[in-house]
Amino acid sequence: GVDCWWTPKLPGTYKIFIKYEEKEVNGSPFACKVSGGEAAAKAQTAKIKCSGGALTEGKSNVTNEVEVDTKESGIIGGLSVSMEGPAKPDVNFKNTEGGLLIIQYKPTTPGNYKLHLKFLDYPVNGS
């Protein structure tokens, strides 16, 4: 048998992939929910930085982009995004190298929209 372990730094649901001879074992990936550490999660969320002109002004019928810098936070997953406004725009994440994510949104109706970016239930500053 083989034993392994890891110490997660933040709460959340993790996927654990297990392979044997380059093939995933039955049931892999396994979901593992880690609780506790809410203060750490809140502190790490505060280190995420959002930027880009589309944070304050976007254009309808055009793909607008917001940069989300997670380098200092160490957060690489578990982010959720939603928008509210006169219509429901398409919203996508685009991953790049080195802890930078791009949120792309394309509203079809002009008006005021709110972008909500969260890690777990903690709002990201600037969203």
Side-chain angles (χ1 to χ4, degrees):
V2 175
D3 292 334
C4 66
W5 58 89
W6 104 104
T7 303
K9 295 179 182 175
L10 297 169
T13 300
Y14 293 82
K15 289 182 183 177
I16 301 172
F17 296 83
I18 299 177
K19 292 183 178 184
Y20 178 73
E21 294 182 352
E22 301 301 317
K23 294 180 184 173
E24 283 194 38
V25 300
N26 283 341
S28 180
F30 299 92
C32 177
K33 185 170 182 165
V34 175
S35 59
E38 285 77 13
K42 192 173 184 179
Q44 293 308 103
T45 302
K47 295 178 182 179
I48 297 173
K49 297 176 183 140
C50 296
S51 62
L55 266 175
T56 56
E57 185 176 344
K59 296 184 179 179
S60 60
N61 298 308
V62 173
T63 300
N64 299 276
E65 294 187 342
V66 174
E67 292 183 2
V68 181
D69 186 344
T70 64
K71 287 179 266 191
E72 285 184 37
S73 71
I75 294 172
I76 58 172
L79 291 169
S80 64
V81 65
S82 64
M83 289 190 81
E84 61 180 276
K88 185 173 179 169
D90 290 330
V91 181
N92 297 298
F93 277 111
K94 181 178 163 185
N95 287 316
T96 65
E97 298 282 323
L100 186 66
L101 300 170
I102 307 293
I103 297 174
Q104 297 178 320
Y105 69 91
K106 186 176 182 179
T108 56
T109 304
N112 290 325
Y113 290 82
K114 289 185 180 180
L115 173 72
H116 302 281
L117 180 63
K118 293 181 178 184
F119 174 68
L120 300 176
D121 284 329
Y122 304 108
V124 172
N125 293 334
S127 70

